Amino acid sequence: MTLPEDQQTEEPPRPSFLGIHSRDMETKILYISSGCRNAMGFTPAQMMASEAKSYIYDSFNSLYPTIYTDKARESEDDEDDDDESSAYCIYMNLHTTANIPVLHRVISMRADNCVVVVATAFPERPFRDLRELQVQTLDGKLQKMTINARGQQAPIDKRRKQAMQSGRSPLYFSRSRQIKAVLVLEHPDITEIETEETGRRPAGPHIAFCTSSISRLIDVDNSDVHSFPFLKLVAPEDLAHVAAFFERLSKSSDVLFETFSLLQRPNVIEGDVFVADQENPRVVVEALGANVQDGIAILIRKLRVIPPPKRDSLGNYIHSKIHEVSEENGYLSLSEFISSDCNTSDAEGWAELP
């Protein structure tokens, strides 16, 4: 029997936590949120400075760090693989304080010298030994791969490999080097964020962590934006759009994608050269966001730089078509790829348990 809507209660959120570990074979934990207590039984103090891979119950725990190692170049003249992934989805069993394996879905984002992890527990699932380290990439070539005992990546998506061997380009690729950054934001209180355009500039969630590569996207240093309100980096015409993105993230356990603009020269340091919004170029970025109770992790990549939008006779910004993908950039957006390539991309089903 189904209860009336007014008597139905929402299911409590799944145990989840957010962590950061070093991007090397040691995987030293640099930060762990308090949610780890509900998910695994450990306190943050117990887990700090230990090895993240040591909590993996499955036999592939020693192979886990190889996901994030740099690809070896065939020669010194080879360029970096601009289509290489930076975001991954992995299912693994993590052991609790009682050494009981609990299935977790791990969303990881590879940063400059560390890895940001968003983990969600599924304690109701019966234990199943995951003998192979299977990884679903969420950006780049959007492929599945298995890490074998030698630490070698073996792509599963044969159709995509065959297409490349036959001279056809993959659906998702870039002709220019992709610039990416990873940010961790405090969990936003969406009740105080306006999702309609009002002309006021909300502060929104503060930045708790940011990779140094942010300076390659916009004219700021990562140390300058620490504890800085994220929405003050966003172009004013996209504030309501980003606020709505945060609201969707707060209600979903899935990874969500969104496109918006950042100010190229935001006013971060008091007394620095001030560039008015109407004169500030926009940096169009695509964001991949994952939400837990403790905060939000966002991977953003630079799409292009555009001039500031014009205003109409009432002073309102005339919205540009930044959400449409320009053919000049040579790639489809993640959201367009997922919606248009249902036969070859399984990215839309990444959140489903095996």
Side-chain angles (χ1 to χ4, degrees):
M1 182 179 70
T2 304
L3 294 174
E5 291 187 5
D6 58 347
Q7 298 183 22
Q8 293 181 5
T9 58
E10 293 185 3
E11 294 184 3
R14 290 187 175 277
S16 58
F17 61 91
L18 195 154
I20 302 174
H21 66 71
S22 59
R23 186 185 158 194
D24 53 23
M25 295 303 295
E26 187 179 3
T27 64
K28 180 179 179 180
I29 296 177
L30 308 174
Y31 168 81
I32 190 78
S33 69
S34 59
C36 64
R37 182 190 292 270
N38 293 330
M40 302 170 63
F42 295 98
T43 65
Q46 290 174 313
M47 299 185 70
M48 279 294 295
S50 60
E51 296 183 357
K53 63 182 179 182
S54 67
Y55 296 94
I56 301 176
Y57 189 90
D58 305 292
S59 57
F60 57 65
N61 57 355
S62 61
L63 300 179
Y64 168 73
T66 62
I67 300 172
Y68 314 109
T69 55
D70 293 319
K71 293 182 178 179
R73 298 185 183 184
E74 294 182 1
S75 68
E76 294 182 357
D77 297 330
D78 287 347
E79 297 181 356
D80 291 335
D81 183 359
D82 296 331
D83 204 18
E84 187 178 358
S85 295
S86 297
Y88 311 84
C89 176
I90 315 162
Y91 285 99
M92 60 178 65
N93 292 294
L94 303 181
H95 70 79
T96 65
T97 51
N99 202 34
I100 298 174
V102 174
L103 182 66
H104 282 69
R105 183 186 67 210
V106 174
I107 305 299
S108 61
M109 302 178 185
R110 180 169 54 87
D112 305 337
N113 55 5
C114 63
V115 176
V116 178
V117 171
V118 177
T120 303
F122 295 84
E124 74 281 5
R125 286 276 169 168
F127 171 69
R128 180 165 67 90
D129 187 12
L130 304 178
R131 299 181 181 277
E132 293 183 324
L133 175 54
Q134 295 191 354
V135 183
Q136 168 71 63
T137 62
L138 301 179
D139 66 339
K141 294 175 183 175
L142 289 172
Q143 64 184 1
K144 280 187 176 180
M145 58 186 178
T146 299
I147 311 297
N148 61 28
R150 296 180 181 179
Q152 298 172 335
Q153 298 180 359
I156 296 177
D157 193 344
K158 295 180 180 179
R159 287 171 296 181
R160 192 174 309 282
K161 184 177 180 181
Q162 292 171 352
M164 295 179 66
Q165 290 175 342
S166 64
R168 300 197 308 272
S169 299
L171 288 178
Y172 181 84
F173 70 98
S174 173
R175 294 191 183 97
S176 58
R177 181 176 176 80
Q178 294 189 55
I179 301 175
K180 303 178 182 180
V182 177
L183 298 90
V184 175
L185 310 180
E186 298 174 354
H187 198 285
D189 182 1
I190 61 172
T191 60
E192 298 181 0
I193 299 180
E194 298 159 341
T195 56
E196 300 293 334
E197 294 188 26
T198 63
R200 295 187 295 270
R201 194 170 189 81
H206 287 211
I207 299 172
F209 170 82
C210 181
T211 59
S212 59
S213 57
I214 189 69
S215 62
R216 296 168 55 203
L217 277 88
I218 57 178
D219 190 13
V220 297
D221 188 81
N222 65 325
S223 59
D224 296 333
V225 297
H226 181 70
S227 298
F228 189 78
F230 177 75
L231 291 183
K232 290 189 176 181
L233 303 180
V234 177
E237 65 273 13
D238 274 352
L239 285 174
H241 188 67
V242 175
F245 175 50
F246 286 156
E247 184 174 12
R248 288 190 292 115
L249 275 173
S250 70
K251 299 177 180 178
S252 174
S253 60
D254 291 345
V255 164
L256 301 179
F257 302 96
E258 195 53 81
T259 304
F260 53 87
S261 292
L262 301 176
L263 296 172
Q264 189 177 52
R265 300 186 64 184
N267 185 27
V268 174
I269 303 176
E270 187 176 353
D272 202 355
V273 177
F274 177 78
V275 180
D277 290 344
Q278 61 269 25
E279 300 174 357
N280 213 326
R282 276 35 172 181
V283 179
V284 183
V285 299
E286 187 169 43
L288 178 155
N291 168 69
V292 296
Q293 295 99 315
D294 298 325
I296 292 177
I298 297 180
L299 170 68
I300 58 176
R301 69 182 180 97
K302 180 179 179 180
L303 298 183
R304 56 191 176 275
V305 178
I306 60 175
K310 297 180 180 179
R311 293 177 182 263
D312 59 22
S313 58
L314 299 177
N316 299 318
Y317 283 103
I318 301 174
H319 289 267
S320 60
K321 298 180 180 180
I322 68 167
H323 307 292
E324 296 182 4
V325 177
S326 171
E327 295 181 357
E328 296 178 356
N329 289 287
Y331 51 74
L332 294 172
S333 70
L334 295 173
S335 55
E336 183 177 356
F337 180 94
I338 292 173
S339 62
S340 64
D341 189 26
C342 58
N343 293 324
T344 59
S345 172
D346 50 8
E348 61 183 2
W350 71 269
E352 297 178 2
L353 286 171

